[in-house]
Amino acid sequence: MRAVGIIFSNIHDNNVPELARIRTLGSIPFGGRYRLIDFPLSNMVNSGIDTVGIITKSNYQSLMDHVGSGKDWDLARKDGGVIILPPFGDLESSSLYNSRLEALKGITNFLFRADEDYVVMTDCDSICRLDYNEIVEYHIRNRADITLVYKNRVAEAGEDKETTFDLTGNKITSVNYKAKLSGDVPANVFMNVFVLKRSLLLNIVLDSISHNKSHFIADVVAANLKSMNIVGYEHKGFYAGIKSLQAYYESNLALLDPKVKFEVFGDRSVFTKIRDSAPTKYGNSAIVKNSLIADGCVIEGEVENSVIFRNVKVGRGSVVRNSVVMQNTVLGENCTLNCIITDKNVTVTDRKTLSGCSNHPFYIGKGIMI
Amino acid sequence: MIRKKKCIAMLLAGGQGSRLYALTNKIAKPAVSFGGKYRIIDFPLSNCVNSGIDTVGVLTQYQPLVLNDYIGNGQPWDLDRAFGGVHILSPYQGKHSSDWYKGTANAIYQNIHFIKQFDPDYVLVLSGDHIYKMNYSMMLNFHILNDADCTIAAINVPKEEASRFGILNTEENGVIYEFEEKPKKPKSTLASMGIYIFSAKKLYKYLEEDNNDPTSSNDFGKNILPKMLACGEKMMAYEFKGYWKDVGTINSLYEANMDLLGDKPKFDVSDTSWKIQSRSPLAPPQYLGEDAKSVNSIIMSGCEIYGTVENSVLASDVIIGKGAVIKNSIIMSDTTVGEGAKIEYSIIDERINIGKNAIVGEPESSGKGIAVLGSDIKVEEGAFIEGGKIIDKDFNKGGK
């Protein structure tokens, strides 16, 4: 592969502040056994990209624990592989970066050292399957300077401002980086995936240091629409954006649709950290309907329309409906959960009833005991 | 400091397992899947790691492909070590002679150089066909404290079953004075578990002598141990109290799987204090559909259940169609069961395609026994497979 990958793990933490308070957006658990970074990382591996830098900023312990040496993605390589790039501070400026361009300034060494011709950059704020190889081919075929990937779609639940494009043919002619999306008229929404030449990216980064630019879309893309060939690549497959807690909740439950599940996991090529859990055990009184259940669970109660992560215990007489229950959550006996997101290690003691609303799920923080 | 290991393990995994019939057509017995996620060899391997033994030689011979692939570099068991770790030891061609492993003792003898490079004080010999959780370091302490030359792990079996085992007759302090192989009238109920610890020097000596004896069948149970006893070596029985099952037959493999079920299972694999490590499949979480029912069962990731599963063990990526009913059965990975099919009291191997409305097996009460389907076969729509049948070829409606 001719491209090196860069993943921004922190950049949209504000989308879901509840979940990202204690971790990066990239390490938010998703879909029973995954974390959000597994999707871009697996896309890279499946596209033949074997050198990947992950840019972090804060709270990245969980991310480092998850990615580890990269062996679960076959990225524990002698030559290349995955490397976590912590924020780069120097003697003069001790503050952390605040924008994509500033973050890239911190990894110029990584970019210099790579020997691939192209760079694929992506964030961790969406669930989708992208063949980066095809996008690089598209980029070359169109003699593009920068290729930006977009999805033609309407607003998601709780979505704030997004970057949208106007296109003529496949050429981007105008950029609105603070567009308010409409709920019924679809727009070309940027998916935060970029492809460009490594040499061009280095020039952009060095130039932005000397001219004190900070915003990639405003200062680089929007400012160069005329002087550069900036093209759009439309992603037509499944897409779920993690733009708010509500959207996170809905994207998890969307996996219960067999078609969506097949689209996301059909060919078994989403990689994740392997943890050793025993198989899931269903007790004599278990009733489970339309749910995804990860390994290591013990289900003795009732589960419906829910996503249950690893090592969750649902006690006798307890009922879980329309909920996302993360790893190591323990529900006692005769509890009722409806429209709840529990973070990891939550304990709910016997005979508690908790309920959110389907358009406003209730979130229970990590380690809380109720 | 000279690099050496106090104790290394040699795991005998070459057995064909002919009494598992169709289940071992293509794979060695230790590679047979168990409990939804595991293969039999995970148990001795995990026991080694949990007991602090980080050097394991795995002796393979029969159909080693799947087993070798599964063990790989040993990383799932944390046995990818620079000094030590897991090593696959296959029969090899030597300068003066080359041979298949003639017996359990011969297999170890042919790999004596492997053992010697770690200069161990003790050698633990294990079988690859038992399901149990055991702390070998306790047994090793017992061996050292008693200053024994050989310690044999033993388990108390019911009196009526004792005549099926190798029985150890011991004095009160655990010293063995007699072996009896499958005695008609057993004097004791202490059965050998096929787990031995030898002091390394003694092991070398007796293996050497055994190899020079042309009349020997080069077997630990038949030759080495009786010879050591006859020569007056100190042999101890170490009594193990816990769950242990030899899964060498269809019935015992079935029973051991069923022992995982229930609110208080006889054998608990989810116990985190003694983790059973294994190579995990890369599959999304299991999905249970609108009309699915799963009661008293163990189900692995990647499964899609649209029918009913009761008192059963399902390995990864098994698909159970709408209206299908699985009862009291074991289904191994990547098998698909068509809509409306009925499976009862059966063991279904990997990658089998069972057509719609097919019927496999009959209830235990029929007395016909467990139906077994070997890997990679197709069962035609509406076909009927009787209880107790062992099928290893495609099966169509006409019964062929």
Side-chain angles (χ1 to χ4, degrees):
Chain A
M1 183 69 183
R2 290 158 290 180
V4 57
I6 292 172
I7 299 177
F8 295 83
S9 67
N10 274 105
I11 234 164
H12 303 284
D13 286 1
N14 291 334
N15 286 1
V16 271
E18 299 90 341
L19 294 166
R21 192 174 56 79
I22 44 161
R23 48 172 85 88
T24 65
L25 188 85
S27 41
I28 290 177
F30 184 83
R33 72 176 290 191
Y34 303 93
R35 292 187 186 248
L36 291 180
I37 197 166
D38 291 339
F39 296 90
L41 203 50
S42 300
N43 283 341
M44 292 206 167
V45 173
N46 293 326
S47 308
I49 296 179
D50 55 14
T51 305
V52 181
I54 300 176
I55 297 184
T56 61
K57 181 179 180 182
S58 50
N59 303 338
Y60 51 87
Q61 283 171 9
S62 56
L63 184 83
M64 294 188 71
D65 174 50
H66 182 70
V67 174
S69 66
K71 72 177 157 49
D72 291 321
W73 295 263
D74 201 22
L75 285 175
R77 301 262 66 86
K78 220 170 191 175
D79 185 14
V82 68
I83 176 166
I84 293 190
L85 303 162
F88 189 86
D90 54 36
L91 289 174
E92 289 94 57
S93 67
S94 57
S95 63
L96 296 180
Y97 66 81
N98 285 309
S99 72
R100 194 184 298 278
L101 266 182
E102 285 176 30
L104 288 167
K105 285 174 201 168
I107 65 153
T108 43
N109 271 334
F110 173 80
L111 289 172
F112 268 119
R113 255 199 335 263
D115 56 6
E116 288 83 355
D117 290 338
Y118 295 90
V119 180
V120 174
M121 300 197 292
T122 177
D123 297 347
C124 297
D125 61 338
S126 59
I127 308 298
C128 62
R129 308 301 300 268
L130 279 175
D131 182 349
Y132 298 129
N133 217 347
E134 192 186 306
I135 304 172
V136 172
E137 288 297 327
Y138 179 89
H139 177 87
I140 296 169
R141 208 165 51 237
N142 285 289
R143 297 205 169 80
D145 292 308
I146 302 176
T147 298
L148 304 175
V149 180
Y150 67 92
K151 174 85 186 164
N152 190 258
R153 64 177 177 92
V154 295
E156 289 205 351
E159 194 166 11
D160 202 19
K161 298 201 164 54
E162 285 296 326
T163 301
T164 59
F165 306 135
D166 289 325
L167 292 111
T168 309
N170 59 17
K171 195 166 160 46
I172 294 172
T173 49
S174 75
V175 175
N176 182 350
Y177 54 90
K178 280 180 184 167
K180 183 91 185 125
L181 297 187
S182 129
D184 29 59
V185 185
N188 299 323
V189 189
F190 184 37
M191 285 173 58
N192 300 315
V193 178
F194 307 71
V195 172
L196 67 170
K197 268 204 155 142
R198 186 170 56 95
S199 53
L200 175 62
L201 180 63
L202 273 167
N203 282 340
I204 290 170
V205 170
L206 296 177
D207 178 65
S208 74
I209 294 173
S210 45
H211 294 91
N212 211 13
K213 295 170 182 168
S214 64
H215 198 287
F216 201 105
I217 295 294
D219 295 339
V220 178
V221 174
N224 289 301
L225 283 176
K226 293 222 166 67
S227 59
M228 281 184 183
N229 184 20
I230 298 177
V231 304
Y233 173 94
E234 186 179 2
H235 169 59
K236 294 199 168 100
F238 174 78
Y239 168 90
I242 309 298
K243 306 291 185 185
S244 66
L245 190 66
Q246 173 69 16
Y248 169 80
Y249 172 76
E250 286 175 8
S251 321
N252 267 290
L253 295 191
L255 296 174
L256 299 177
D257 177 347
K259 268 192 230 127
V260 171
K261 181 170 168 261
F262 185 79
E263 184 115 22
V264 177
F265 302 118
D267 57 357
R268 296 286 187 270
S269 59
V270 182
F271 304 98
T272 189
K273 179 180 167 110
I274 303 270
R275 290 187 193 271
D276 279 302
S277 309
T280 284
K281 217 170 131 180
Y282 296 89
N284 280 314
S285 46
I287 303 173
V288 182
K289 283 190 166 52
N290 192 36
S291 294
L292 274 180
I293 317 259
D295 288 342
C297 296
V298 178
I299 312 285
E300 288 174 335
E302 202 175 315
V303 180
E304 204 181 330
N305 301 331
S306 297
V307 176
I308 310 287
F309 286 64
R310 285 186 274 213
N311 304 331
V312 168
K313 297 203 163 46
V314 179
R316 220 173 281 253
S318 286
V319 180
V320 180
R321 288 206 178 89
N322 312 311
S323 294
V324 175
V325 180
M326 286 191 212
Q327 201 172 324
N328 298 330
T329 293
V330 177
L331 306 182
E333 297 186 355
N334 303 310
C335 303
T336 306
L337 263 58
N338 185 29
C339 303
I340 298 287
I341 300 172
T342 69
D343 207 314
K344 288 170 72 177
N345 307 326
V346 165
T347 305
V348 181
T349 53
D350 295 357
R351 293 181 301 282
K352 300 286 183 295
T353 299
L354 304 170
S355 184
C357 174
S358 65
N359 58 16
H360 199 102
F362 184 65
Y363 167 77
I364 300 170
K366 186 174 176 181
I368 285 176
M369 181 156 179
I370 293 175
Chain B
M1 200 174 124
I2 300 160
R3 297 237 278 180
K4 64 174 279 158
K5 298 279 179 191
K6 186 176 174 190
C7 180
I8 74 164
M10 297 297 274
L11 208 167
L12 298 162
Q16 182 183 352
S18 53
R19 285 172 303 153
L20 288 177
Y21 304 100
L23 300 179
T24 50
N25 275 355
K26 288 179 191 155
I27 57 177
K29 183 155 64 169
V32 169
S33 65
F34 178 82
K37 173 175 193 185
Y38 309 95
R39 292 186 188 265
I40 295 169
I41 198 167
D42 287 332
F43 292 84
L45 275 184
S46 300
N47 287 341
C48 280
V49 176
N50 294 343
S51 307
I53 295 171
D54 63 4
T55 308
V56 185
V58 179
L59 299 133
T60 63
Q61 176 151 296
Y62 174 80
Q63 294 279 24
L65 178 66
V66 172
L67 188 61
N68 291 358
D69 232 30
Y70 184 69
I71 293 173
N73 66 353
Q75 183 269 323
W77 301 270
D78 203 18
L79 284 174
D80 49 338
R81 302 291 174 92
F83 183 63
V86 66
H87 296 253
I88 306 261
L89 305 169
S90 316
Y92 55 88
Q93 197 164 29
K95 187 167 181 191
H96 301 294
S97 67
S98 41
D99 244 321
W100 294 102
Y101 296 151
K102 282 177 287 198
T104 51
N106 179 254
I108 307 273
Y109 176 76
Q110 288 202 37
N111 291 290
I112 212 154
H113 296 294
F114 168 79
I115 301 177
K116 283 182 174 167
Q117 64 179 325
F118 298 104
D119 189 20
D121 300 322
Y122 307 98
V123 178
L124 170 68
V125 177
L126 300 169
S127 300
D129 48 7
H130 300 157
I131 301 291
Y132 63 116
K133 294 189 276 193
M134 180 174 178
N135 191 339
Y136 303 132
S137 65
M138 309 269 281
M139 181 175 168
L140 182 60
N141 284 344
F142 177 87
H143 179 86
I144 295 169
L145 279 175
N146 284 290
D147 197 21
D149 298 306
C150 171
T151 299
I152 302 173
I155 190 162
N156 254 312
V157 294
K159 189 136 203 191
E160 55 276 15
E161 283 178 36
S163 55
R164 283 175 36 221
F165 291 91
I167 296 294
L168 308 177
N169 296 324
T170 62
E171 288 160 18
E172 252 169 48
N173 56 8
V175 173
I176 300 168
Y177 67 87
E178 191 186 18
F179 294 114
E180 285 185 298
E181 190 62 27
K182 296 181 181 151
K184 289 220 174 71
K185 281 187 186 162
K187 286 180 223 157
S188 116
T189 54
L190 213 49
S192 163
M193 293 163 65
I195 299 166
Y196 318 117
I197 291 177
F198 294 95
S199 296
K201 300 261 157 30
K202 296 281 179 185
L203 179 68
Y204 302 154
K205 174 173 175 256
Y206 283 93
L207 283 178
E208 197 73 50
E209 285 178 19
D210 180 66
N211 189 57
N212 294 334
D213 177 1
T215 62
S216 169
S217 52
N218 309 109
D219 186 86
F220 274 104
K222 283 184 207 141
N223 307 103
I224 302 276
L225 299 177
K227 179 111 190 267
M228 283 181 82
L229 193 66
C231 291
E233 304 291 356
K234 186 171 186 190
M235 305 186 76
M236 300 292 297
Y238 170 78
E239 193 180 339
F240 172 71
K241 287 184 179 137
Y243 183 93
W244 176 81
K245 195 128 198 158
D246 180 339
V247 288
T249 65
I250 296 283
N251 279 310
S252 60
L253 180 68
Y254 177 84
E255 279 167 27
N257 272 285
M258 291 300 142
D259 286 344
L260 303 172
L261 301 178
D263 288 345
K264 287 205 175 105
K266 285 188 192 158
F267 187 61
D268 186 7
V269 279
S270 51
D271 167 20
T272 47
S273 67
W274 197 264
K275 239 181 169 181
I276 304 302
Q277 316 279 0
S278 69
R279 199 173 279 278
S280 299
L282 180 78
Q286 56 197 272
Y287 175 72
L288 284 89
E290 284 290 348
D291 309 310
K293 198 177 158 200
S294 68
V295 176
N296 192 32
S297 295
I298 278 180
I299 303 182
M300 252 316 267
S301 51
C303 287
E304 289 178 24
I305 315 290
Y306 300 97
T308 298
V309 180
E310 265 182 62
N311 306 326
S312 296
V313 175
L314 269 58
S316 63
D317 295 288
V318 170
I319 299 170
I320 307 292
K322 233 183 185 154
V325 178
I326 316 297
K327 271 188 187 163
N328 307 314
S329 294
I330 299 157
I331 303 188
M332 301 180 187
S333 57
D334 298 298
T335 284
T336 301
V337 178
E339 291 176 13
K342 304 247 176 308
I343 295 179
E344 167 104 44
Y345 200 44
S346 301
I347 301 180
I348 315 286
D349 207 343
E350 301 175 4
R351 300 177 300 276
I352 292 177
N353 198 327
I354 295 176
K356 286 180 191 171
N357 302 315
I359 297 176
V360 180
E362 291 173 75
E364 192 175 355
S365 55
S366 73
K368 290 185 176 169
I370 301 165
V372 178
L373 304 191
S375 61
D376 303 284
I377 64 169
K378 273 199 177 89
V379 175
E380 203 190 5
E381 269 185 52
F384 170 61
I385 294 176
E386 261 181 82
K389 282 274 182 301
I390 293 174
I391 309 287
D392 59 2
K393 289 194 179 70
D394 287 359
F395 191 92
N396 62 28
K397 238 179 183 160
K400 297 218 173 120

